[in-house]
Amino acid sequence: MSQMNRRRALQLLAALGTTGLAAGCGSDSENAGASSGKPIKIGLIVPGAGANKAIGDEISNGFQLFLSLNDQRLGGHPVTLVSAEEGENAKSGQAAVDRLLKEGALALTGVVSPEVILGIRDMVEQARVPLVCSNASPTSLQSVVYIWRTSYALEEPGRALGQYLNQTLLAGRRIAILAPNNRSSRDVIAGFRAGYEVNGRHIDDEPILTVDVPNPRKGTYTGAIRQALNPKKPADVIFCHYAGTAAVQFIKQLYDEGYRGPIYAPGFLTEGTVLDELESEIASIERSGLETALNYSADLNNTANRVFASAYRKTYRVSPTTYAMASYDAAQVLDKAIRLVGSDPTPQQLNLALGKIGQIDSPRGPWQFNQPRTPQQKWYLRRVQRDGQLLSNVVISELSTLG
């Protein structure tokens, strides 16, 4: 089926509504016996303000959507979803965890910032309450017992693209790496180098690290871009790592400085509302090519995604992102684990059950937890192009399975 036909099919499903689709979402929560479960609380940690608010909103939407399709229950238990402000640092994240634990949360989910997840790690482990993270997290988050991820470790999209370019890019082509100076970028770049620098390949230039500001403006990245495009040694390929407003500004400034070569990046670069703000750059994008690696695209053609994407569009009037999908899967993971525990779950029992749930029938495609408690999953190469009237991330191939 063509990409355009898949998009049309999802639009038709959305127009028909989701009442008849809920049975296909892979949960057993609709069973008659579900009414016997006692009420439980799940704590949702997301930012309600600041640069990460948009991601927090999508994480909230994804989790709420699963609940709405499953009679507001997880594993047969009526659920109260209690939100707490994540903030932007370890202190604010710890305050959120403390509040939710005092309110009796059976499990926690959400968390956008890598700094926050590292800041609450020990607190969660000591409390022995499972946290199912639904955004990418630092590669250094290892040797944990009570922290699980339904997204991925930050090095993985870079690794997937590095492997791809190692196989497809002509030897001798210069790759310039540009990214904000922060922990996430260092993980992404390390993954990219690990994937690319095999079989004699090597990236000679050091990464160009730019200022890490929440609201960059015109000219913020001009100096770094000019360094990458130095006429004496110009870049043939750009690999970058930006998201949200920073992604929009970086791409616009890159084209303003005359770059017309291919751009590769983790999927953050074009997720959310970014593509809506790049309509004026469509000619440059189509001429040069902008491709990203991610574990999800809203146009994936599988039953779980047709249900999810259709219901998401109907409910929120936008296409789902990887953030919403991973949070939807966090709810699905908790649903399966709570059901395994039974009528009176404790956090410790639930944590043990999380290791026994097996394969998840996800909108991204089937996956399961690996030993480090992250998904073993497929990665996709997506190209920015028009799909009908919309500028979209269209899947053009599978890259690899990582995790």
Side-chain angles (χ1 to χ4, degrees):
M1 183 182 293
S2 71
Q3 302 292 350
M4 188 176 295
N5 286 342
R6 287 205 292 271
R7 175 61 59 83
R8 179 64 57 83
L10 290 175
Q11 290 171 338
L12 289 173
L13 284 169
L16 290 171
T18 61
T19 302
L21 294 174
C25 68
S27 169
D28 295 324
S29 294
E30 306 89 335
N31 291 349
S35 60
S36 62
K38 74 173 188 178
I40 59 174
K41 290 182 180 179
I42 302 295
L44 177 66
I45 304 171
V46 288
N52 288 329
K53 180 183 183 301
I55 298 175
D57 289 345
E58 292 177 40
I59 286 174
S60 297
N61 291 347
F63 203 96
Q64 292 278 11
L65 182 64
F66 186 91
L67 291 179
S68 70
L69 293 177
N70 290 278
D71 195 29
Q72 300 300 313
R73 293 172 181 269
L74 292 177
H77 295 257
V79 171
T80 298
L81 188 63
V82 184
S83 296
E85 173 57 48
E86 175 179 330
E88 299 178 348
N89 53 52
K91 185 175 180 180
S92 59
Q94 290 164 3
V97 172
D98 183 62
R99 197 196 107 199
L100 293 170
L101 293 178
K102 287 178 178 177
E103 292 197 26
L106 176 67
L108 308 174
T109 190
V111 187
V112 173
S113 165
E115 301 302 327
V116 170
I117 187 61
L118 291 176
I120 66 176
R121 167 189 169 155
D122 291 346
M123 192 175 186
V124 170
E125 292 287 295
Q126 290 167 11
R128 300 174 67 208
V129 173
L131 165 60
V132 182
C133 297
S134 48
N135 193 33
S137 54
T139 306
S140 60
L141 185 68
Q142 297 181 8
S143 301
V144 290
V145 176
Y146 283 85
I147 299 177
W148 307 74
R149 295 176 270 208
T150 57
S151 185
Y152 49 87
L154 277 162
E155 64 94 22
E156 291 183 18
R159 183 183 293 271
L161 274 175
Q163 293 173 349
Y164 171 72
L165 289 180
N166 176 276
Q167 297 168 6
T168 60
L169 192 65
L170 293 175
R173 305 280 280 177
R174 182 189 170 215
I175 302 174
I177 301 173
L178 295 96
N181 188 8
N182 59 35
R183 185 189 304 273
S184 297
S185 293
R186 289 189 283 275
D187 279 353
V188 167
I189 292 168
F192 181 70
R193 283 188 177 277
Y196 184 81
E197 293 183 330
V198 295
N199 300 324
R201 292 289 184 96
H202 184 71
I203 300 172
D204 295 326
D205 296 74
E206 288 298 312
I208 301 171
L209 300 179
T210 62
V211 293
D212 185 17
V213 294
N215 294 299
R217 300 180 179 181
K218 187 173 183 179
T220 296
Y221 305 117
T222 300
I225 290 170
R226 288 176 179 173
Q227 181 182 345
L229 303 184
N230 186 333
K232 295 182 180 179
K233 194 179 180 184
D236 300 301
V237 170
I238 296 290
F239 175 83
C240 61
H241 174 241
Y242 295 93
T245 302
V248 174
Q249 285 296 327
F250 177 79
I251 293 169
K252 285 180 176 288
Q253 291 171 40
L254 186 62
Y255 289 138
D256 286 345
E257 290 301 312
Y259 181 71
R260 294 297 181 266
I263 302 171
Y264 296 95
F268 302 119
L269 190 74
T270 55
E271 282 292 275
T273 61
V274 171
L275 293 183
D276 295 336
E277 300 180 57
L278 290 177
E279 284 287 343
S280 61
E281 310 298 327
I282 184 59
S284 297
I285 291 172
E286 290 183 332
R287 181 166 55 248
S288 61
L290 199 171
E291 296 181 354
T292 63
L294 203 60
N295 60 346
Y296 177 70
S297 179
D299 73 341
L300 286 174
N301 188 24
N302 62 63
T303 300
N305 190 50
R306 286 195 293 272
V307 171
F308 167 68
S310 173
Y312 196 92
R313 290 189 181 102
K314 179 178 175 63
T315 303
Y316 301 111
R317 305 299 179 188
V318 293
S319 291
T321 63
T322 189
Y323 312 118
M325 178 277 298
S327 189
Y328 180 88
D329 273 4
Q332 186 175 187
V333 160
L334 288 169
D335 177 72
K336 293 187 72 171
I338 292 169
R339 189 172 303 283
L340 285 176
V341 174
S343 61
D344 192 19
T346 68
Q348 294 76 38
Q349 290 171 334
L350 176 58
N351 197 68
L352 288 173
L354 284 167
K356 302 175 182 178
I357 59 176
Q359 186 168 280
I360 301 298
D361 185 18
S362 168
R364 77 188 83 176
W367 66 270
Q368 60 187 19
F369 283 120
N370 59 17
Q371 189 172 2
R373 289 162 159 69
T374 58
Q376 184 174 10
Q377 61 189 324
K378 289 181 180 179
W379 285 84
Y380 303 96
L381 185 66
R382 314 181 313 168
R383 178 177 296 149
V384 175
Q385 61 186 50
R386 286 206 180 279
D387 186 4
Q389 297 300 312
L390 302 173
L391 196 60
S392 303
N393 293 298
V394 178
V395 172
I396 57 175
S397 66
E398 293 181 9
L399 288 173
S400 57
T401 297
L402 298 176

